[in-house]
Amino acid sequence: MARTSAKPTPAPGAPKGRGRPPLAHADGQGDGRRTLQFSGQLRSEQLRDHLLRLMRKMQTGEKLPSERRIAKDTGLSLLTVNKVLANLAAMGLVERRLGAGTYIRPPKPAGGAEQLAASGKRMRVLRFVVREVGSILEGRADHYLGRLFRGVCEAAREDGLEVLPTPYSLDPEGLELLPADAFEQPSVEGLIFAECNVPDYRPLWKFLAEGRRVVGMDFSAPEQGLSSVMFDNIAGMRGVTEHCLRLGHRRLCFLGSGRYAGQPKEERMAGFRQAIQEAGLAPSAGTLLLAEPAEMQERVKAMFRLHPAERPTVFIGFADFYLVWMFKAAREAGLVLPRDASMTGFGGGWRQESLLPPLDTMLFDEVEMGRSAYRLLQSGAKGVVKRAPGRLEVNGSVVAPPA
């Protein structure tokens, strides 16, 4: 159950807000300097989360560790560290001073509120709340959030509304939540949010109880009156799995996050299981491998060390980028793809286009999904869930299993 206040009643089965996986904390040194201590290789989003927690313990104007220090202590590349700090700057949380470093900025209202308050004219505004604001501000059309944002903007601007990309807030436990002041400015007419990974839904329930216009993307709670636009996760993953079954695969492996990944993860696993059941196969025909990147690569490598008659013949990613670790593991094991092992993804994107062979994958029209979310918001409908159909793109990454 989601964590909620007394009213309204939380949606049955709503994902429970939960904290981040434990990361090493920053220790104060005798000279007052803070250093970052990590163990293991971290993803950029984990670094972002750690820095956000560290920043809550620091004062406005205080300097963060240098990029080189962060890179050395985490094992991440300077490019990755630079990108994380750039995203924090785009969110207005830090100031990057050329040649001087990165400094904590004073807390701001939800994105864009200060510009609205300072403007001398009435603006009609729609907020688009998302965890990876940097991908939108950088104009990355190859990122699915960028495509959703583009669709929302195209539809909103036809009606004379400006769209403000706005980051999620963090509560004291590190849970992501909609900004409490999202509707503080009277110019804000509505809010569209893309499902985050570790949510605290209490502000959402509050906005709905107040009659605010809110639409979710890839998160549904019709019992609460929330209208949503969803990827058709169950049917889409069932279609991907059936594609593999038609080519003769009978040992399939689903690759997904070991952490909470919202409703999409649960629905895609359900579609995977349904296809296997409907094919008349035992549940053991479908293996679920749920892990974080470093662990996943090692576990896939362990599968590749099994006898060919025992290991999975096809790997299906929760999203396309989960196949990256399969590629690395296969290369280290001396396997040839897709001859020795097939793979297919879900959702498309730049990784799908950059892998060789290109992935078979389930594609969606995210721009139209964004437009649909805006139309749903403007309709004022409550508790409506629209599911966007997928289209299977076949590129040759799934072939008949080895004899």
Side-chain angles (χ1 to χ4, degrees), residues 305-340:
R305 288 194 291 268
L306 296 173
H307 188 277
E310 298 176 351
R311 68 187 181 215
T313 58
V314 64
F315 293 79
I316 302 174
F318 162 77
D320 285 359
F321 63 84
Y322 281 89
L323 277 303
V324 171
W325 299 291
M326 184 216 163
F327 268 75
K328 294 179 178 179
R331 183 171 60 244
E332 293 184 16
L335 301 183
V336 177
L337 304 175
R339 183 196 68 189
D340 299 317

PDB file of all heavy atoms in Angstrom, residues 305-340:
ATOM      1  N   ARG A 305      27.786 -19.885 -18.553  1.00  0.00           N
ATOM      2  CA  ARG A 305      28.709 -20.987 -18.239  1.00  0.00           C
ATOM      3  C   ARG A 305      27.983 -22.328 -18.118  1.00  0.00           C
ATOM      4  O   ARG A 305      28.633 -23.380 -18.037  1.00  0.00           O
ATOM      5  CB  ARG A 305      29.472 -20.668 -16.951  1.00  0.00           C
ATOM      6  CG  ARG A 305      30.516 -19.571 -17.106  1.00  0.00           C
ATOM      7  CD  ARG A 305      31.467 -19.518 -15.928  1.00  0.00           C
ATOM      8  NE  ARG A 305      30.806 -19.049 -14.719  1.00  0.00           N
ATOM      9  CZ  ARG A 305      30.766 -17.775 -14.332  1.00  0.00           C
ATOM     10  NH1 ARG A 305      31.336 -16.837 -15.083  1.00  0.00           N
ATOM     11  NH2 ARG A 305      30.172 -17.422 -13.208  1.00  0.00           N
ATOM     12  N   LEU A 306      26.653 -22.286 -18.081  1.00  0.00           N
ATOM     13  CA  LEU A 306      25.885 -23.526 -18.036  1.00  0.00           C
ATOM     14  C   LEU A 306      26.001 -24.278 -19.349  1.00  0.00           C
ATOM     15  O   LEU A 306      26.328 -23.695 -20.396  1.00  0.00           O
ATOM     16  CB  LEU A 306      24.413 -23.228 -17.746  1.00  0.00           C
ATOM     17  CG  LEU A 306      24.067 -22.592 -16.389  1.00  0.00           C
ATOM     18  CD1 LEU A 306      22.587 -22.224 -16.349  1.00  0.00           C
ATOM     19  CD2 LEU A 306      24.420 -23.535 -15.256  1.00  0.00           C
ATOM     20  N   HIS A 307      25.692 -25.559 -19.313  1.00  0.00           N
ATOM     21  CA  HIS A 307      25.650 -26.347 -20.546  1.00  0.00           C
ATOM     22  C   HIS A 307      24.597 -25.740 -21.468  1.00  0.00           C
ATOM     23  O   HIS A 307      23.532 -25.290 -21.004  1.00  0.00           O
ATOM     24  CB  HIS A 307      25.296 -27.802 -20.217  1.00  0.00           C
ATOM     25  CG  HIS A 307      25.430 -28.720 -21.399  1.00  0.00           C
ATOM     26  ND1 HIS A 307      24.433 -28.852 -22.344  1.00  0.00           N
ATOM     27  CD2 HIS A 307      26.440 -29.549 -21.775  1.00  0.00           C
ATOM     28  CE1 HIS A 307      24.819 -29.714 -23.262  1.00  0.00           C
ATOM     29  NE2 HIS A 307      26.044 -30.156 -22.939  1.00  0.00           N
ATOM     30  N   PRO A 308      24.857 -25.681 -22.796  1.00  0.00           N
ATOM     31  CA  PRO A 308      23.886 -25.082 -23.725  1.00  0.00           C
ATOM     32  C   PRO A 308      22.475 -25.641 -23.599  1.00  0.00           C
ATOM     33  O   PRO A 308      21.493 -24.935 -23.872  1.00  0.00           O
ATOM     34  CB  PRO A 308      24.489 -25.394 -25.097  1.00  0.00           C
ATOM     35  CG  PRO A 308      25.961 -25.475 -24.846  1.00  0.00           C
ATOM     36  CD  PRO A 308      26.100 -26.086 -23.480  1.00  0.00           C
ATOM     37  N   ALA A 309      22.353 -26.893 -23.172  1.00  0.00           N
ATOM     38  CA  ALA A 309      21.025 -27.492 -23.041  1.00  0.00           C
ATOM     39  C   ALA A 309      20.302 -27.014 -21.789  1.00  0.00           C
ATOM     40  O   ALA A 309      19.105 -27.284 -21.622  1.00  0.00           O
ATOM     41  CB  ALA A 309      21.145 -29.022 -23.017  1.00  0.00           C
ATOM     42  N   GLU A 310      20.997 -26.282 -20.908  1.00  0.00           N
ATOM     43  CA  GLU A 310      20.390 -25.848 -19.651  1.00  0.00           C
ATOM     44  C   GLU A 310      20.165 -24.333 -19.586  1.00  0.00           C
ATOM     45  O   GLU A 310      19.294 -23.866 -18.861  1.00  0.00           O
ATOM     46  CB  GLU A 310      21.286 -26.270 -18.475  1.00  0.00           C
ATOM     47  CG  GLU A 310      21.470 -27.771 -18.352  1.00  0.00           C
ATOM     48  CD  GLU A 310      22.431 -28.137 -17.236  1.00  0.00           C
ATOM     49  OE1 GLU A 310      23.080 -27.204 -16.682  1.00  0.00           O
ATOM     50  OE2 GLU A 310      22.551 -29.323 -16.911  1.00  0.00           O
ATOM     51  N   ARG A 311      20.950 -23.559 -20.300  1.00  0.00           N
ATOM     52  CA  ARG A 311      20.845 -22.108 -20.178  1.00  0.00           C
ATOM     53  C   ARG A 311      19.718 -21.564 -21.059  1.00  0.00           C
ATOM     54  O   ARG A 311      19.296 -22.214 -22.031  1.00  0.00           O
ATOM     55  CB  ARG A 311      22.168 -21.447 -20.556  1.00  0.00           C
ATOM     56  CG  ARG A 311      22.534 -21.553 -22.023  1.00  0.00           C
ATOM     57  CD  ARG A 311      23.935 -21.025 -22.243  1.00  0.00           C
ATOM     58  NE  ARG A 311      24.321 -21.079 -23.653  1.00  0.00           N
ATOM     59  CZ  ARG A 311      25.542 -21.335 -24.086  1.00  0.00           C
ATOM     60  NH1 ARG A 311      26.515 -21.582 -23.202  1.00  0.00           N
ATOM     61  NH2 ARG A 311      25.818 -21.344 -25.369  1.00  0.00           N
ATOM     62  N   PRO A 312      19.225 -20.359 -20.747  1.00  0.00           N
ATOM     63  CA  PRO A 312      18.190 -19.739 -21.582  1.00  0.00           C
ATOM     64  C   PRO A 312      18.694 -19.525 -23.001  1.00  0.00           C
ATOM     65  O   PRO A 312      19.884 -19.262 -23.230  1.00  0.00           O
ATOM     66  CB  PRO A 312      17.930 -18.399 -20.885  1.00  0.00           C
ATOM     67  CG  PRO A 312      18.376 -18.606 -19.475  1.00  0.00           C
ATOM     68  CD  PRO A 312      19.535 -19.546 -19.553  1.00  0.00           C
ATOM     69  N   THR A 313      17.781 -19.644 -23.952  1.00  0.00           N
ATOM     70  CA  THR A 313      18.150 -19.421 -25.359  1.00  0.00           C
ATOM     71  C   THR A 313      17.793 -18.021 -25.823  1.00  0.00           C
ATOM     72  O   THR A 313      18.243 -17.583 -26.878  1.00  0.00           O
ATOM     73  CB  THR A 313      17.447 -20.444 -26.264  1.00  0.00           C
ATOM     74  OG1 THR A 313      16.025 -20.331 -26.086  1.00  0.00           O
ATOM     75  CG2 THR A 313      17.894 -21.863 -25.933  1.00  0.00           C
ATOM     76  N   VAL A 314      16.975 -17.301 -25.034  1.00  0.00           N
ATOM     77  CA  VAL A 314      16.624 -15.929 -25.398  1.00  0.00           C
ATOM     78  C   VAL A 314      16.487 -15.100 -24.125  1.00  0.00           C
ATOM     79  O   VAL A 314      16.000 -15.600 -23.099  1.00  0.00           O
ATOM     80  CB  VAL A 314      15.327 -15.875 -26.236  1.00  0.00           C
ATOM     81  CG1 VAL A 314      14.126 -16.366 -25.445  1.00  0.00           C
ATOM     82  CG2 VAL A 314      15.072 -14.459 -26.765  1.00  0.00           C
ATOM     83  N   PHE A 315      16.940 -13.855 -24.187  1.00  0.00           N
ATOM     84  CA  PHE A 315      16.866 -12.924 -23.067  1.00  0.00           C
ATOM     85  C   PHE A 315      15.968 -11.757 -23.462  1.00  0.00           C
ATOM     86  O   PHE A 315      16.157 -11.162 -24.528  1.00  0.00           O
ATOM     87  CB  PHE A 315      18.264 -12.427 -22.685  1.00  0.00           C
ATOM     88  CG  PHE A 315      19.145 -13.500 -22.105  1.00  0.00           C
ATOM     89  CD1 PHE A 315      19.787 -14.416 -22.932  1.00  0.00           C
ATOM     90  CD2 PHE A 315      19.320 -13.599 -20.734  1.00  0.00           C
ATOM     91  CE1 PHE A 315      20.590 -15.416 -22.405  1.00  0.00           C
ATOM     92  CE2 PHE A 315      20.131 -14.600 -20.192  1.00  0.00           C
ATOM     93  CZ  PHE A 315      20.750 -15.507 -21.028  1.00  0.00           C
ATOM     94  N   ILE A 316      15.017 -11.448 -22.594  1.00  0.00           N
ATOM     95  CA  ILE A 316      14.034 -10.400 -22.868  1.00  0.00           C
ATOM     96  C   ILE A 316      14.211  -9.298 -21.832  1.00  0.00           C
ATOM     97  O   ILE A 316      14.075  -9.538 -20.627  1.00  0.00           O
ATOM     98  CB  ILE A 316      12.597 -10.959 -22.816  1.00  0.00           C
ATOM     99  CG1 ILE A 316      12.446 -12.099 -23.844  1.00  0.00           C
ATOM    100  CG2 ILE A 316      11.580  -9.860 -23.067  1.00  0.00           C
ATOM    101  CD1 ILE A 316      11.102 -12.805 -23.769  1.00  0.00           C
ATOM    102  N   GLY A 317      14.494  -8.081 -22.276  1.00  0.00           N
ATOM    103  CA  GLY A 317      14.748  -6.986 -21.365  1.00  0.00           C
ATOM    104  C   GLY A 317      13.484  -6.243 -20.967  1.00  0.00           C
ATOM    105  O   GLY A 317      12.616  -5.997 -21.795  1.00  0.00           O
ATOM    106  N   PHE A 318      13.392  -5.881 -19.673  1.00  0.00           N
ATOM    107  CA  PHE A 318      12.328  -4.994 -19.206  1.00  0.00           C
ATOM    108  C   PHE A 318      12.314  -3.722 -20.049  1.00  0.00           C
ATOM    109  O   PHE A 318      11.266  -3.186 -20.397  1.00  0.00           O
ATOM    110  CB  PHE A 318      12.568  -4.651 -17.737  1.00  0.00           C
ATOM    111  CG  PHE A 318      11.830  -3.433 -17.249  1.00  0.00           C
ATOM    112  CD1 PHE A 318      10.482  -3.487 -16.952  1.00  0.00           C
ATOM    113  CD2 PHE A 318      12.488  -2.223 -17.100  1.00  0.00           C
ATOM    114  CE1 PHE A 318       9.796  -2.368 -16.511  1.00  0.00           C
ATOM    115  CE2 PHE A 318      11.814  -1.102 -16.658  1.00  0.00           C
ATOM    116  CZ  PHE A 318      10.467  -1.167 -16.361  1.00  0.00           C
ATOM    117  N   ALA A 319      13.481  -3.223 -20.400  1.00  0.00           N
ATOM    118  CA  ALA A 319      13.671  -2.139 -21.354  1.00  0.00           C
ATOM    119  C   ALA A 319      14.921  -2.476 -22.157  1.00  0.00           C
ATOM    120  O   ALA A 319      15.726  -3.317 -21.752  1.00  0.00           O
ATOM    121  CB  ALA A 319      13.822  -0.795 -20.639  1.00  0.00           C
ATOM    122  N   ASP A 320      15.081  -1.813 -23.290  1.00  0.00           N
ATOM    123  CA  ASP A 320      16.184  -2.174 -24.171  1.00  0.00           C
ATOM    124  C   ASP A 320      17.544  -2.124 -23.492  1.00  0.00           C
ATOM    125  O   ASP A 320      18.406  -2.967 -23.729  1.00  0.00           O
ATOM    126  CB  ASP A 320      16.198  -1.244 -25.391  1.00  0.00           C
ATOM    127  CG  ASP A 320      15.099  -1.580 -26.390  1.00  0.00           C
ATOM    128  OD1 ASP A 320      14.344  -2.531 -26.142  1.00  0.00           O
ATOM    129  OD2 ASP A 320      15.008  -0.886 -27.416  1.00  0.00           O
ATOM    130  N   PHE A 321      17.745  -1.103 -22.626  1.00  0.00           N
ATOM    131  CA  PHE A 321      19.093  -0.932 -22.070  1.00  0.00           C
ATOM    132  C   PHE A 321      19.491  -2.057 -21.143  1.00  0.00           C
ATOM    133  O   PHE A 321      20.671  -2.206 -20.824  1.00  0.00           O
ATOM    134  CB  PHE A 321      19.241   0.427 -21.379  1.00  0.00           C
ATOM    135  CG  PHE A 321      18.351   0.636 -20.189  1.00  0.00           C
ATOM    136  CD1 PHE A 321      18.720   0.165 -18.947  1.00  0.00           C
ATOM    137  CD2 PHE A 321      17.157   1.328 -20.328  1.00  0.00           C
ATOM    138  CE1 PHE A 321      17.902   0.378 -17.844  1.00  0.00           C
ATOM    139  CE2 PHE A 321      16.339   1.546 -19.234  1.00  0.00           C
ATOM    140  CZ  PHE A 321      16.707   1.068 -17.985  1.00  0.00           C
ATOM    141  N   TYR A 322      18.539  -2.892 -20.685  1.00  0.00           N
ATOM    142  CA  TYR A 322      18.917  -4.029 -19.849  1.00  0.00           C
ATOM    143  C   TYR A 322      19.683  -5.084 -20.632  1.00  0.00           C
ATOM    144  O   TYR A 322      20.326  -5.963 -20.048  1.00  0.00           O
ATOM    145  CB  TYR A 322      17.684  -4.648 -19.193  1.00  0.00           C
ATOM    146  CG  TYR A 322      17.216  -3.867 -17.996  1.00  0.00           C
ATOM    147  CD1 TYR A 322      16.308  -2.827 -18.136  1.00  0.00           C
ATOM    148  CD2 TYR A 322      17.717  -4.134 -16.722  1.00  0.00           C
ATOM    149  CE1 TYR A 322      15.912  -2.070 -17.043  1.00  0.00           C
ATOM    150  CE2 TYR A 322      17.321  -3.386 -15.629  1.00  0.00           C
ATOM    151  CZ  TYR A 322      16.420  -2.357 -15.792  1.00  0.00           C
ATOM    152  OH  TYR A 322      16.046  -1.609 -14.713  1.00  0.00           O
ATOM    153  N   LEU A 323      19.642  -5.002 -21.962  1.00  0.00           N
ATOM    154  CA  LEU A 323      20.373  -5.975 -22.771  1.00  0.00           C
ATOM    155  C   LEU A 323      21.846  -5.622 -22.907  1.00  0.00           C
ATOM    156  O   LEU A 323      22.644  -6.433 -23.374  1.00  0.00           O
ATOM    157  CB  LEU A 323      19.738  -6.082 -24.165  1.00  0.00           C
ATOM    158  CG  LEU A 323      18.512  -7.008 -24.321  1.00  0.00           C
ATOM    159  CD1 LEU A 323      18.838  -8.420 -23.885  1.00  0.00           C
ATOM    160  CD2 LEU A 323      17.309  -6.471 -23.597  1.00  0.00           C
ATOM    161  N   VAL A 324      22.221  -4.412 -22.510  1.00  0.00           N
ATOM    162  CA  VAL A 324      23.622  -4.010 -22.609  1.00  0.00           C
ATOM    163  C   VAL A 324      24.514  -4.972 -21.820  1.00  0.00           C
ATOM    164  O   VAL A 324      25.583  -5.382 -22.278  1.00  0.00           O
ATOM    165  CB  VAL A 324      23.806  -2.563 -22.108  1.00  0.00           C
ATOM    166  CG1 VAL A 324      25.289  -2.211 -21.991  1.00  0.00           C
ATOM    167  CG2 VAL A 324      23.106  -1.594 -23.047  1.00  0.00           C
ATOM    168  N   TRP A 325      24.056  -5.349 -20.614  1.00  0.00           N
ATOM    169  CA  TRP A 325      24.879  -6.231 -19.780  1.00  0.00           C
ATOM    170  C   TRP A 325      24.918  -7.645 -20.343  1.00  0.00           C
ATOM    171  O   TRP A 325      25.895  -8.360 -20.162  1.00  0.00           O
ATOM    172  CB  TRP A 325      24.355  -6.203 -18.345  1.00  0.00           C
ATOM    173  CG  TRP A 325      24.445  -4.814 -17.808  1.00  0.00           C
ATOM    174  CD1 TRP A 325      25.593  -4.125 -17.515  1.00  0.00           C
ATOM    175  CD2 TRP A 325      23.372  -3.914 -17.562  1.00  0.00           C
ATOM    176  NE1 TRP A 325      25.297  -2.860 -17.086  1.00  0.00           N
ATOM    177  CE2 TRP A 325      23.938  -2.690 -17.100  1.00  0.00           C
ATOM    178  CE3 TRP A 325      21.989  -4.000 -17.666  1.00  0.00           C
ATOM    179  CZ2 TRP A 325      23.159  -1.588 -16.763  1.00  0.00           C
ATOM    180  CZ3 TRP A 325      21.217  -2.903 -17.324  1.00  0.00           C
ATOM    181  CH2 TRP A 325      21.807  -1.706 -16.880  1.00  0.00           C
ATOM    182  N   MET A 326      23.872  -8.022 -21.050  1.00  0.00           N
ATOM    183  CA  MET A 326      23.902  -9.320 -21.707  1.00  0.00           C
ATOM    184  C   MET A 326      24.947  -9.319 -22.826  1.00  0.00           C
ATOM    185  O   MET A 326      25.686 -10.282 -23.011  1.00  0.00           O
ATOM    186  CB  MET A 326      22.523  -9.649 -22.265  1.00  0.00           C
ATOM    187  CG  MET A 326      22.440 -11.039 -22.895  1.00  0.00           C
ATOM    188  SD  MET A 326      21.363 -11.049 -24.315  1.00  0.00           S
ATOM    189  CE  MET A 326      21.867 -12.565 -25.088  1.00  0.00           C
ATOM    190  N   PHE A 327      25.011  -8.218 -23.592  1.00  0.00           N
ATOM    191  CA  PHE A 327      26.028  -8.097 -24.638  1.00  0.00           C
ATOM    192  C   PHE A 327      27.424  -8.247 -24.043  1.00  0.00           C
ATOM    193  O   PHE A 327      28.266  -8.967 -24.572  1.00  0.00           O
ATOM    194  CB  PHE A 327      25.906  -6.727 -25.323  1.00  0.00           C
ATOM    195  CG  PHE A 327      25.018  -6.723 -26.531  1.00  0.00           C
ATOM    196  CD1 PHE A 327      23.639  -6.767 -26.398  1.00  0.00           C
ATOM    197  CD2 PHE A 327      25.553  -6.667 -27.805  1.00  0.00           C
ATOM    198  CE1 PHE A 327      22.813  -6.749 -27.510  1.00  0.00           C
ATOM    199  CE2 PHE A 327      24.738  -6.648 -28.926  1.00  0.00           C
ATOM    200  CZ  PHE A 327      23.364  -6.689 -28.782  1.00  0.00           C
ATOM    201  N   LYS A 328      27.671  -7.536 -22.929  1.00  0.00           N
ATOM    202  CA  LYS A 328      29.003  -7.582 -22.318  1.00  0.00           C
ATOM    203  C   LYS A 328      29.331  -8.988 -21.825  1.00  0.00           C
ATOM    204  O   LYS A 328      30.441  -9.488 -22.023  1.00  0.00           O
ATOM    205  CB  LYS A 328      29.076  -6.592 -21.167  1.00  0.00           C
ATOM    206  CG  LYS A 328      28.979  -5.135 -21.599  1.00  0.00           C
ATOM    207  CD  LYS A 328      29.028  -4.207 -20.401  1.00  0.00           C
ATOM    208  CE  LYS A 328      28.971  -2.741 -20.827  1.00  0.00           C
ATOM    209  NZ  LYS A 328      28.983  -1.822 -19.672  1.00  0.00           N
ATOM    210  N   ALA A 329      28.347  -9.629 -21.186  1.00  0.00           N
ATOM    211  CA  ALA A 329      28.570 -10.980 -20.666  1.00  0.00           C
ATOM    212  C   ALA A 329      28.815 -11.971 -21.796  1.00  0.00           C
ATOM    213  O   ALA A 329      29.673 -12.856 -21.696  1.00  0.00           O
ATOM    214  CB  ALA A 329      27.377 -11.419 -19.815  1.00  0.00           C
ATOM    215  N   ALA A 330      28.060 -11.824 -22.885  1.00  0.00           N
ATOM    216  CA  ALA A 330      28.234 -12.733 -24.016  1.00  0.00           C
ATOM    217  C   ALA A 330      29.603 -12.565 -24.653  1.00  0.00           C
ATOM    218  O   ALA A 330      30.264 -13.551 -25.024  1.00  0.00           O
ATOM    219  CB  ALA A 330      27.131 -12.478 -25.050  1.00  0.00           C
ATOM    220  N   ARG A 331      30.056 -11.328 -24.760  1.00  0.00           N
ATOM    221  CA  ARG A 331      31.374 -11.077 -25.349  1.00  0.00           C
ATOM    222  C   ARG A 331      32.472 -11.722 -24.507  1.00  0.00           C
ATOM    223  O   ARG A 331      33.397 -12.344 -25.034  1.00  0.00           O
ATOM    224  CB  ARG A 331      31.597  -9.573 -25.486  1.00  0.00           C
ATOM    225  CG  ARG A 331      32.915  -9.215 -26.163  1.00  0.00           C
ATOM    226  CD  ARG A 331      33.017  -7.733 -26.482  1.00  0.00           C
ATOM    227  NE  ARG A 331      32.933  -6.913 -25.288  1.00  0.00           N
ATOM    228  CZ  ARG A 331      31.960  -6.059 -25.032  1.00  0.00           C
ATOM    229  NH1 ARG A 331      30.965  -5.930 -25.889  1.00  0.00           N
ATOM    230  NH2 ARG A 331      31.960  -5.333 -23.924  1.00  0.00           N
ATOM    231  N   GLU A 332      32.365 -11.569 -23.179  1.00  0.00           N
ATOM    232  CA  GLU A 332      33.375 -12.155 -22.305  1.00  0.00           C
ATOM    233  C   GLU A 332      33.343 -13.678 -22.340  1.00  0.00           C
ATOM    234  O   GLU A 332      34.366 -14.332 -22.123  1.00  0.00           O
ATOM    235  CB  GLU A 332      33.175 -11.654 -20.871  1.00  0.00           C
ATOM    236  CG  GLU A 332      33.460 -10.172 -20.704  1.00  0.00           C
ATOM    237  CD  GLU A 332      33.337  -9.730 -19.258  1.00  0.00           C
ATOM    238  OE1 GLU A 332      33.324 -10.611 -18.366  1.00  0.00           O
ATOM    239  OE2 GLU A 332      33.257  -8.510 -19.013  1.00  0.00           O
ATOM    240  N   ALA A 333      32.151 -14.232 -22.609  1.00  0.00           N
ATOM    241  CA  ALA A 333      32.029 -15.695 -22.664  1.00  0.00           C
ATOM    242  C   ALA A 333      32.389 -16.262 -24.033  1.00  0.00           C
ATOM    243  O   ALA A 333      32.382 -17.483 -24.219  1.00  0.00           O
ATOM    244  CB  ALA A 333      30.606 -16.109 -22.300  1.00  0.00           C
ATOM    245  N   GLY A 334      32.710 -15.385 -24.990  1.00  0.00           N
ATOM    246  CA  GLY A 334      33.077 -15.843 -26.325  1.00  0.00           C
ATOM    247  C   GLY A 334      31.895 -16.298 -27.156  1.00  0.00           C
ATOM    248  O   GLY A 334      32.077 -17.036 -28.140  1.00  0.00           O
ATOM    249  N   LEU A 335      30.696 -15.863 -26.809  1.00  0.00           N
ATOM    250  CA  LEU A 335      29.513 -16.249 -27.565  1.00  0.00           C
ATOM    251  C   LEU A 335      29.265 -15.280 -28.721  1.00  0.00           C
ATOM    252  O   LEU A 335      29.647 -14.110 -28.671  1.00  0.00           O
ATOM    253  CB  LEU A 335      28.284 -16.276 -26.664  1.00  0.00           C
ATOM    254  CG  LEU A 335      28.338 -17.217 -25.458  1.00  0.00           C
ATOM    255  CD1 LEU A 335      27.020 -17.194 -24.703  1.00  0.00           C
ATOM    256  CD2 LEU A 335      28.674 -18.642 -25.885  1.00  0.00           C
ATOM    257  N   VAL A 336      28.611 -15.769 -29.756  1.00  0.00           N
ATOM    258  CA  VAL A 336      28.242 -14.968 -30.915  1.00  0.00           C
ATOM    259  C   VAL A 336      26.742 -14.744 -30.877  1.00  0.00           C
ATOM    260  O   VAL A 336      25.964 -15.705 -30.792  1.00  0.00           O
ATOM    261  CB  VAL A 336      28.641 -15.661 -32.239  1.00  0.00           C
ATOM    262  CG1 VAL A 336      28.186 -14.832 -33.438  1.00  0.00           C
ATOM    263  CG2 VAL A 336      30.151 -15.885 -32.288  1.00  0.00           C
ATOM    264  N   LEU A 337      26.329 -13.483 -30.912  1.00  0.00           N
ATOM    265  CA  LEU A 337      24.916 -13.135 -30.890  1.00  0.00           C
ATOM    266  C   LEU A 337      24.440 -12.767 -32.298  1.00  0.00           C
ATOM    267  O   LEU A 337      25.154 -12.121 -33.045  1.00  0.00           O
ATOM    268  CB  LEU A 337      24.684 -11.954 -29.948  1.00  0.00           C
ATOM    269  CG  LEU A 337      25.173 -12.132 -28.496  1.00  0.00           C
ATOM    270  CD1 LEU A 337      24.975 -10.837 -27.714  1.00  0.00           C
ATOM    271  CD2 LEU A 337      24.462 -13.278 -27.819  1.00  0.00           C
ATOM    272  N   PRO A 338      23.238 -13.211 -32.680  1.00  0.00           N
ATOM    273  CA  PRO A 338      22.266 -13.990 -31.899  1.00  0.00           C
ATOM    274  C   PRO A 338      22.387 -15.497 -32.111  1.00  0.00           C
ATOM    275  O   PRO A 338      21.503 -16.236 -31.699  1.00  0.00           O
ATOM    276  CB  PRO A 338      20.944 -13.476 -32.457  1.00  0.00           C
ATOM    277  CG  PRO A 338      21.238 -13.232 -33.912  1.00  0.00           C
ATOM    278  CD  PRO A 338      22.656 -12.715 -33.949  1.00  0.00           C
ATOM    279  N   ARG A 339      23.484 -15.948 -32.723  1.00  0.00           N
ATOM    280  CA  ARG A 339      23.597 -17.378 -33.009  1.00  0.00           C
ATOM    281  C   ARG A 339      23.528 -18.212 -31.743  1.00  0.00           C
ATOM    282  O   ARG A 339      22.793 -19.209 -31.676  1.00  0.00           O
ATOM    283  CB  ARG A 339      24.931 -17.653 -33.726  1.00  0.00           C
ATOM    284  CG  ARG A 339      25.136 -19.110 -34.157  1.00  0.00           C
ATOM    285  CD  ARG A 339      26.587 -19.389 -34.499  1.00  0.00           C
ATOM    286  NE  ARG A 339      27.442 -19.318 -33.295  1.00  0.00           N
ATOM    287  CZ  ARG A 339      28.773 -19.343 -33.346  1.00  0.00           C
ATOM    288  NH1 ARG A 339      29.396 -19.393 -34.513  1.00  0.00           N
ATOM    289  NH2 ARG A 339      29.479 -19.306 -32.219  1.00  0.00           N
ATOM    290  N   ASP A 340      24.269 -17.807 -30.709  1.00  0.00           N
ATOM    291  CA  ASP A 340      24.334 -18.590 -29.481  1.00  0.00           C
ATOM    292  C   ASP A 340      23.273 -18.201 -28.464  1.00  0.00           C
ATOM    293  O   ASP A 340      22.940 -18.991 -27.572  1.00  0.00           O
ATOM    294  CB  ASP A 340      25.718 -18.455 -28.849  1.00  0.00           C
ATOM    295  CG  ASP A 340      26.815 -18.976 -29.768  1.00  0.00           C
ATOM    296  OD1 ASP A 340      26.605 -20.044 -30.380  1.00  0.00           O
ATOM    297  OD2 ASP A 340      27.866 -18.317 -29.875  1.00  0.00           O
TER     298      ASP A 340
END
